[in-house]
């Protein structure tokens, strides 16, 4: 209030008059201003083109609620026999949603006319979809991903007088397993009329169904309420607590007298009221007293898959239905109460992710007063643990025993997460010795508590031009420091303490600095209510009087945004332009937040229209108006007339970034380009079949992208190459069919329009870069002091660039200054380098350590601005987050082509397996020379691995892949370590030729690209040492080989861990088994020879003896037969 009265005394009507005139001229030029609009559409049936679009005025969350793919595009694509698609071996799928792109113009009646004009003049929207990283990546090589899709014009259904009475541009909306956060940017292709670019967030909503009548997650809450039924202009604003970059939805709690919240999955482009389906409501007890009862939702923390809310002293949890996330727990059917035995006083959110986990803290009340609990969430599982030291003491008990001072009351004010590998905590506690005697202490908790520092007791007077150093020994006023909360930025290592004033600490609580600008004289009537980082060098806070303030990390002053002179000017201009009528109406502030593009946004409730509106708070524009209105004009007296001008307080005229390198190597963002099929129709309107084909090919490309993690590497097998596998040689034929209009489907799939972007014509300064060991990033800043004839040498000498980093022991910034007097400019060359501070090695994309870097022109804080095609932007400050570690998207692969070629060359032969398969095969008696590739999946490059590595056989099995088993750790040591050579269990050994190889302390041989001579030995106690031949083929064996450079390669931070399979054939028999086989064979041969000799030497005698025996037997038979005949004759005669 005092601030408003201060501004009311100032007369800036001449300034407003000038701005009004300028605004009128600008408004006349912007009568036909148009921008891109995006509408999410559910694809009911891609075969018929059935779509249901959810426009901005509908009561929906604005997010994607279906997560299942559709196979209805498969028969359409498989019918394209004359197109370069695989119609036999691949099943194609489509996405559940698409995007409809339209033009929005100031004159709504001219929107369709503008779209038709744009179509005829070649205007086409391009949609850049950014797929967010999951909290806990499920693949070893996590990657960021962008895909630029060209929108396809399609005629809407229904009766129409002409072919273009109603149409829209459409693109598929890809979703990937593991990602629930998506950001789109719509730009023009550069043809036709100028259209303003737009960005939107459209995320996956797995909490409640708002699209249609179905509501399988009705346990989350009930929708259908109007804003006017529960909101009022008198309601205060409240913070929202989503996990930065990972929360797919946002929730505004704190609606008085109601269990309702404001819910959105599109950053409040669409928003709805939902009454939470909580059945229990605690009214207090003796162990957990409650002064007043209110059924509202006091606090809500939103994470990637879970929502935690507090109502009174109870915590409730709801796990969303996210089938695309690898959740360990089952999705919730209703709200679940957690921490039943704890009286909860407050929740403290942690907006950042550490180690693949999300965190928040719970402060105890009642019987648990003074206790702090930490919640760890990983893949849907949540665990709670109390912060205690190794002796089981809480914070308050530790401090009482540490200082040995009687404490009347111990209050935990706030907690934060440091983000280090120990996952240690920062605790701020208030210790009251009497009613007017208290002290705030900052402590670090890992396994024990460590006191870092003591906050000042009084707020000093605002004097000087820099930070005010806190001094506990000299009280300078009678205004007490009251702390309501803390915010810690793990990137910049800065802690901000907020409440009745604003303090910061650059050394994690050892020393403190007061930030100037916040009116300490009003600290008795207003406090800071909530504070949030952008994690890009900026922050804002909102006070109890609903004032919005803004500041930069490391800057000694904060500035008011609303109310302020700049805000009054900005609001007046918006009213004059008439583009947003919300500035003319009464409204109440609901919340303020940073969007995905790090722009400051406010959400307001407009009672007159019964709607919730998101509006940008343009910090640079408001700040420039404040500077402009406060700068006194200079009166210039001439002979003929007098005039005035507003002098620039910026020390330079303009700046420009130059010599920026291609971004992919540093940003690690994989980028693809996709375009719809080519239509032969004159107007270029797509068909239902062509759009179904478009989304099927986009899905297949992204599927190949996620599968591009193979053990055996082939540089040619990129996702783009595999998309057209086997069709490249017929590309001329497909072009002939298309150019002559001979396609049976009426459209043609162009193979060249699906590609990976590796070079950009327009390069911008990245927000984040990733550096490997000793890596560096270089660029230049060209700063002009003005027109050379008006610039003095002293003005040029006053242009200096300073560099600040959050940790000098981790990154180094080198700035070289060159004065260009003939151009009245200064050129600064900047080099950002890693200095080797990352501990050890890690897998690609894991355990990265973030640091911040800020470049600032001297004397340019909130003074330098520049008008661009995107509006007014600030100048003089460049910020960047630098991650050191192993960048994502790099992997080690077995180079089978090089290995086979070198084995053939050095062994003078190559014996393949008798029955070749997909597994590489090598001969046992030949030396094995393995070679490996380093593949950069972001750049699409492959190169030889030149570092050191260890090779271990970690599994295997004889004769068949089905017999493969993995060895235990003890077996791996026995089979691979030279330390166990006496056990006669080694599988392989290094064949020394020129020099011996190094070995680790465990006895593993260290190999390199030039020292990789491996001899298979398979000693008797090894698993391949005594193989039995099956049939007539020599024994064979399948080996699982593990290669790792961890601990032996000092040229990178990357732990290139790789396992692959090879097949070795032609094994000799074991000596003992060979000897037994030899003796058995010898005995058999001797027996056969003996029989042969015996047969030939004794054969005639045996033959004569046999004949004699035969004759004797025959004669005996004849005599016997004659005797029998005579006896028969005698019997007959006797009968007669």
């Amino acid at each position: 209030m005092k601030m408003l009265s201060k501004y009311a005394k100032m007369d800036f009507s001449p300034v407003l008059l000038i701005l009004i005139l300028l605004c009128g001229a600008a408004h006349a030029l912007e009568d036909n201003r148009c921008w891109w609009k995006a509408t999410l559409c559910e694809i009911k049936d891609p075969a018929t083109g059935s779509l249901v679009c959810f426009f901005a005025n509908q009561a929906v969350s604005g997010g994607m609620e279906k997560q299942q793919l559709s196979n209805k595009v498969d028969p359409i694509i498989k019918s394209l026999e004359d197109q370069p698609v695989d119609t036999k071996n691949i099943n194609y799928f489509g996405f559940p949603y698409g995007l409809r792109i339209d033009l929005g113009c100031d004159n709504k009646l001219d929107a369709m006319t503008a779209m038709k004009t744009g179509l005829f003049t070649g205007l086409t929207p391009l949609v850049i979809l950014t797929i967010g990283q999951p909290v806990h990546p499920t693949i070893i090589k996590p990657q960021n991903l962008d895909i630029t899709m060209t929108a396809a014009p399609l005629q809407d259904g229904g009766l129409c007088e002409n072919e273009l009475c109603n149409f829209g541009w459409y693109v598929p909306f890809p979703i990937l397993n593991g990602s629930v956060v998506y950001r789109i940017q719509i730009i023009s292709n550069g043809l036709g009329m100028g259209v303003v670019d737009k960005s939107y967030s459209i995320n996956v909503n797995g909490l409640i169904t708002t699209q249609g009548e179905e509501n399988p997650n009705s346990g989350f809450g009930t929708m259908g309420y109007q804003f006017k039924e529960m909101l009022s202009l008198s309601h205060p604003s409240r913070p929202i607590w989503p996990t930065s970059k990972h929360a797919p939805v946002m929730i505004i709690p704190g609606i008085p007298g109601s269990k309702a919240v404001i819910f959105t999955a599109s950053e409040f482009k669409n928003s709805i009221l939902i009454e939470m389906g909580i059945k229990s409501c605690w009214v207090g007890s003796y162990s957990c007293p409650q002064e007043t009862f209110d059924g509202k939702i006091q606090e809500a923390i939103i994470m990637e898959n879970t929502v935690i809310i507090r109502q009174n002293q109870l915590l409730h949890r709801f796990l969303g239905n996210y089938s695309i996330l690898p959740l360990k727990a089952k999705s919730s059917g209703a709200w679940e109460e957690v921490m039943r035995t704890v009286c909860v006083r407050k929740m403290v959110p942690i907006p950042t992710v550490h180690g693949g986990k999300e965190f928040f803290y719970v402060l105890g009340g009642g019987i648990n007063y003074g206790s702090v609990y930490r919640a760890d969430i990983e893949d849907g599982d949540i665990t709670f643990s109390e912060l205690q030291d190794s002796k089981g003491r809480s914070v308050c008990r530790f401090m009482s025993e540490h200082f040995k001072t009687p404490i009347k009351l111990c209050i935990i004010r706030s907690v934060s997460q440091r983000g280090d590998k120990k996952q240690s905590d920062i605790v701020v506690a208030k210790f009251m010795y009497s009613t007017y005697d208290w002290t705030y202490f900052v402590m670090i908790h890992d396994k024990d508590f460590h006191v870092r520092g003591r906050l000042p007791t009084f707020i000093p007077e605002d004097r000087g031009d820099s930070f005010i150093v806190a001094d506990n020994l000299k009280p300078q006023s009678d205004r007490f420091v009251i702390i309501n909360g803390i915010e810690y930025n793990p990137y910049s290592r800065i802690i901000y303490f907020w409440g009745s004033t604003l303090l910061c600490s650059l050394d994690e609580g050892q020393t403190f600095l007061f930030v100037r600008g916040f009116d300490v004289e009003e600290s008795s009537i207003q406090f800071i209510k909530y504070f949030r980082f952008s994690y890009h060098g900026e922050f804002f806070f909102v006070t109890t009087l609903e004032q919005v303030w803004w500041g930069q990390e490391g800057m000694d002053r904060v500035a008011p945004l609303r109310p302020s002179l700049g805000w009054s000017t900005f609001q007046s201009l918006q009213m004059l332009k008439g583009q947003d009528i919300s500035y003319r109406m009464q409204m109440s502030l609901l919340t303020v937040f940073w969007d995905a593009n790090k722009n400051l946004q406010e959400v307001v409730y407009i009672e007159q229209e019964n709607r919730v509106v998101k509006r940008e708070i343009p910090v640079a524009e408001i700040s420039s108006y404040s500077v402009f209105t406060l700068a006194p004009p200079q009166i210039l007296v001439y002979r003929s007339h007098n005039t005035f001008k507003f002098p620039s307080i910026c020390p330079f005229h303009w700046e420009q970034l130059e010599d920026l390198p291609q971004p992919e190597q540093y940003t690690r963002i994989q980028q693809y380009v996709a375009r719809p099929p080519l239509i032969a129709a004159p107007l270029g309107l797509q068909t239902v079949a062509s759009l179904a084909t478009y989304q099927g090919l986009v899905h297949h490309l992204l599927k190949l992208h996620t599968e591009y993690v193979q053990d055996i590497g082939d540089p040619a097998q990129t996702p783009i190459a595999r998309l057209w596998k086997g069709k490249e040689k017929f590309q001329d034929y497909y072009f002939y069919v298309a150019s002559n209009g001979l396609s049976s489907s009426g459209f043609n799939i162009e193979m060249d329009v699906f590609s990976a972007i590796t070079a950009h014509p327009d390069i911008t300064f990245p927000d984040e870069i990733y550096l490997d060991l000793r890596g560096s990033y270089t660029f230049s800043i060209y700063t002009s002091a003005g027109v050379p004839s008006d610039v003095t040498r002293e003005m040029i000498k006053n242009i200096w660039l300073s560099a600040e980093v959050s940790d000098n022991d981790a990154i180094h910034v080198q700035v070289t200054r060159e004065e260009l007097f003939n151009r009245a400019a200064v050129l600064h060359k900047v080099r950002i380098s890693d200095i080797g501070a990352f501990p050890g090695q890690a897998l690609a994309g894991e355990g990265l350590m973030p640091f911040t870097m800020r470049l600032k022109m001297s004397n340019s804080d909130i003074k330098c601005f520049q008008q661009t095609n995107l509006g007014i932007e600030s100048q003089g400050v460049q910020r960047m987050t630098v991650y050191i570690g192993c960048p994502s998207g790099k992997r080690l692969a077995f180079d089978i082509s090089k290995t086979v070629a070198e084995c053939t060359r050095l062994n003078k032969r190559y014996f393949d397996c008798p029955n070749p398969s997909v597994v590489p095969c090598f001969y046992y008696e030949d030396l094995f020379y393995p070679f490996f590739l380093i593949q950069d999946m972001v750049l699409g490059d492959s190169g030889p691995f030149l570092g050191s590595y260890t090779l271990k056989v970690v599994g295997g099995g004889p004769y068949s892949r089905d017999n493969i088993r993995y060895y235990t750790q003890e077996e791996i040591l026995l089979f691979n370590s030279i330390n166990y050579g006496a056990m006669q269990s080694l599988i392989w050994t290094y064949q020394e030729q020129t020099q011996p190889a190094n070995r680790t302390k465990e006895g593993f041989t260290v190999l390199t690209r030039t020292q990789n001579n491996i001899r298979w030995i398979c000693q008797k106690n090894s698993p391949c040492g005594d193989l039995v031949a099956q049939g007539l083929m020599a024994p064979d064996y399948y080996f699982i080989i593990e290669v790792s450079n961890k601990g032996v390669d000092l040229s990178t931070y990357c732990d290139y861990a790789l396992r692959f399979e090879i097949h070795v054939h032609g094994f000799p028999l074991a000596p003992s088994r060979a000897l037994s086989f030899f003796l058995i064979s010898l005995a058999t041969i001797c027996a056969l020879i003996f029989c042969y000799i015996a047969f030939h030497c004794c054969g005639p005698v045996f033959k004569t003896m046999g004949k004699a025996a035969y004759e004797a037997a025959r004669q005996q038979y004849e005599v016997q037969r004659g005797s029998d005949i005579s006896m028969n004759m005698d019997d007959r005669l006797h009968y007669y």
Side-chain angles (χ1 to χ4, degrees), residues 882-894:
V882 181
Y883 291 89
I884 66 171
C886 182
S888 62
K890 287 189 174 183
R891 72 184 184 105
L892 184 69
F894 180 43

Side-chain angles (χ1 to χ4, degrees), residues 15-26:
V15 175
L16 280 180
L17 179 60
I18 295 174
L19 292 175
I20 289 172
L21 294 175
L22 294 175
C23 178

Side-chain angles (χ1 to χ4, degrees), residues 988-1006:
W988 64 277
T989 185
Y990 171 68
Q991 183 74 28
E992 297 183 359
Q993 293 183 352
T994 58
Q995 56 183 348
N998 296 323
R999 291 185 174 87
T1000 65
K1001 63 180 181 179
E1002 294 87 0
F1004 297 121
T1005 303
V1006 179

Side-chain angles (χ1 to χ4, degrees), residues 326-347:
L327 300 181
K328 298 177 182 177
K330 186 179 179 181
S331 60
S332 302
W335 286 95
E336 174 190 1
E337 187 179 338
V338 294
M339 297 191 74
R340 293 174 177 267
T341 60
V342 176
C343 178
V344 178
R345 177 171 60 93
K346 182 182 179 181
M347 290 195 300

Side-chain angles (χ1 to χ4, degrees), residues 102-168:
D102 296 285
L103 281 176
C105 300
D106 294 332
N107 188 346
K108 296 182 179 179
L109 298 177
D110 293 334
M112 183 51 64
T113 302
M115 292 179 62
K116 294 177 182 178
T117 303
L119 181 66
F120 291 139
T121 56
L123 176 65
T124 303
L126 306 178
V127 177
I128 304 174
L129 176 68
T130 300
I131 300 175
Q133 278 280 9
V135 170
H136 185 202
T138 56
I139 60 175
I140 298 179
K141 285 88 175 176
Q143 295 180 75
N144 295 321
L145 178 63
D146 283 1
I147 179 169
T148 302
M149 298 172 289
T150 301
L154 178 68
Q155 178 72 51
D156 292 337
L159 298 176
C160 188
E161 297 179 357
N162 57 71
E163 192 173 1
L164 282 178
C165 65
N166 195 18
F167 80 98

Side-chain angles (χ1 to χ4, degrees), residues 1063-1082:
H1063 185 194
V1064 178
H1065 71 106
F1067 276 74
L1069 296 176
S1072 58
R1073 190 175 297 275
L1075 179 60
S1076 63
F1077 282 177
F1078 171 74
L1079 294 177
I1080 293 173
S1081 301
L1082 182 60

